């Protein structure tokens, strides 16, 4: 960060004082709480988290230092208000990929087409079409475990398990599968991201100019579904 936009030492000191004040307020709210899910404690926690985040950012920008603690965001700490014994569950999954080896992707899609006479022979000619062929042939979990075979590189992923009172009606959420997530009904959540491990930045190299021959491709087992 350039000197022109760096925070001043006074700003960093003020942010530190704000953390101390928020910490005192959080402790006071905890000492006075009326129950396990006291909203005053929840509010004080969020204020402390926000103050700590500001301080951490200013400290890094000014001195290139970080704090030794990490406070989760407000959405991660929303109190669970769902049923104690859920009758239904929804599992929401998002996985991001980068297409880093389009030649490999196209070749693998063409192999799928060659092994399945019911498929056409034109879809695999483009990256868009090849993705449709492969994701139509293999389950998402298998794509995740074999992504390198398909010329893909993993990005961030998240999995949320949410509780419901009753199973959803068939077809009612298919158009907008993630629009009705209630964070207070999240039973558990698992996130995987490169931001949690800086070492991941060195794992992938560019593939521009790579000419993949057939012998470079790992075999596909089309019976594994």
């Amino acid at each position: 960060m350039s000197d022109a936009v760096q925070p001043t030492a006074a700003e960093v000191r003020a942010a530190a004082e704000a953390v101390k004040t928020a910490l005192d307020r959080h402790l006071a709210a905890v000492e006075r709480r009326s129950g396990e899910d006291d909203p005053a404690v929840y509010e004080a926690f969020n204020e402390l988290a926000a103050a700590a985040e500001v301080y951490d950012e200013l400290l890094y920008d000014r001195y290139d230092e970080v704090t030794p603690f990490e406070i989760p965001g407000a959405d991660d700490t929303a109190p669970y208000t769902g049923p104690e014994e859920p009758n239904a569950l929804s599992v929401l999954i998002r996985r991001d990929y980068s297409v880093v080896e389009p030649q490999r992707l196209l070749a693998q899609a063409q192999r799928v087409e060659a092994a399945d006479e019911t498929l056409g022979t034109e879809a695999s000619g483009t990256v868009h079409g090849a993705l449709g062929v492969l994701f139509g042939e293999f389950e998402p979990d298998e794509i995740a475990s074999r992504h390198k075979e398909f010329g893909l590189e993993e990005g961030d992923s998240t999995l949320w398990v949410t509780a419901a009172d009753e199973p959803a009606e068939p077809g009612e959420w298919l158009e907008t599968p993630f629009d009705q997530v209630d964070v207070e009904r999240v039973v558990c959540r698992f996130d995987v991201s490169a931001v949690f491990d800086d070492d991941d930045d060195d794992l992938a190299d560019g593939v521009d100019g790579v000419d993949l021959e057939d012998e470079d491709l790992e075999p596909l087992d089309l019976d594994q579904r």
Side-chain angles (χ1 to χ4, degrees):
M1 180 175 289
S2 66
D3 292 338
V5 295
Q6 275 189 340
T8 65
E11 289 174 325
V12 179
R13 173 62 61 181
E17 293 299 325
V19 172
K20 297 175 185 178
T21 300
L23 188 61
D24 288 338
R25 290 175 178 173
H26 179 260
L27 177 58
V30 170
E31 291 173 337
R32 297 192 305 265
R33 67 181 176 187
S34 58
E36 183 176 353
D37 295 327
D38 190 329
V41 175
Y42 181 56
E43 181 179 356
F45 177 91
N46 288 335
E47 291 177 356
L48 175 58
E53 183 177 1
V54 170
Y55 171 62
D56 190 78
E57 291 178 355
L58 294 177
L59 184 71
Y60 181 80
D61 291 344
R62 178 68 185 182
Y63 300 110
D64 198 25
E65 290 289 343
V66 296
T67 58
F69 52 85
E70 180 178 353
I71 300 178
D75 285 345
D76 294 336
T77 59
Y80 176 74
T81 61
E84 293 185 4
E85 298 182 4
N87 294 319
L89 295 174
S90 292
V91 180
L92 295 87
I93 301 174
R94 171 172 171 170
R95 297 187 179 110
D96 284 5
Y97 298 96
S98 297
V99 179
V100 293
E101 297 182 84
Q103 303 96 326
R104 182 180 293 275
L105 178 74
L106 294 169
Q108 300 291 40
Q110 290 165 3
R111 289 189 174 191
V112 171
E113 286 185 335
D116 190 341
E117 297 180 355
T118 65
L119 297 175
T121 58
E122 299 179 357
S124 63
T126 65
V127 170
H128 174 270
L131 288 170
V133 170
L134 292 175
F135 278 88
E137 180 69 20
F138 301 101
E139 295 291 337
D141 286 344
E142 185 166 2
I143 295 286
S145 65
R146 304 172 63 187
H147 62 277
K148 292 183 179 179
E149 295 180 35
F150 305 125
L152 303 176
E153 180 181 285
E154 288 182 313
D156 288 358
S157 66
T158 187
L159 182 152
W160 294 30
V161 179
T162 64
D165 296 313
E166 299 293 340
E169 292 294 328
E172 70 176 0
W173 52 263
L174 296 179
E175 294 298 324
T176 55
F178 303 106
D179 284 2
Q180 299 179 358
V181 178
D182 185 347
V183 295
E184 294 186 352
R185 285 183 168 240
V186 174
V187 177
C188 55
R189 171 179 171 177
F190 304 94
D191 297 324
V192 177
S193 175
V195 301
F196 301 144
D197 187 357
D198 293 337
D199 294 337
D200 290 347
D201 295 339
D202 299 327
L203 295 180
D205 296 322
V207 294
D208 291 344
V210 173
D211 185 13
L212 290 176
E213 301 293 343
D214 287 346
E215 58 267 26
D216 295 326
L217 298 174
E218 303 200 11
L220 287 175
D221 185 353
L222 299 182
D223 292 330
Q224 294 184 12
R225 304 289 174 86

